[in-house]
Amino acid sequence: IARLAPTRAAGWKAAAEAGDPAGQFLYGWCLELGVGAGRDGRAAAGWYRKAADAGDPAAVFVVSVCYRDGTG
């Protein structure tokens, strides 16, 4: 994913904004790590939460880690 992020972040953002759970997760990842997008942990947690609410299993896990670590 890290190799693709710089060129795909804009597409993932558009998918996230359109309500696609995979796009929400991937754009959250970009924001968390600052790859292909500005680094913003709070916004990343928000996108992860939206993806988790839509049932994305990876996002559910990441949100649980954010809560455990106090970052979500």
Side-chain angles (χ1 to χ4, degrees):
I1 295 175
R3 274 184 324 172
L4 298 174
T7 58
R8 303 245 174 114
W12 291 335
K13 180 181 181 184
E17 290 172 341
D20 178 66
Q24 293 167 339
F25 177 80
L26 290 167
Y27 188 59
W29 181 84
C30 289
L31 289 168
E32 179 182 7
L33 300 179
V35 178
R39 190 172 190 161
D40 186 341
R42 183 177 296 261
W47 284 114
Y48 287 145
R49 227 175 280 116
K50 287 180 184 198
D53 289 345
D56 184 287
V60 171
F61 173 76
V62 172
V63 168
S64 71
V65 172
C66 288
Y67 282 118
R68 181 196 69 196
D69 295 345
T71 58

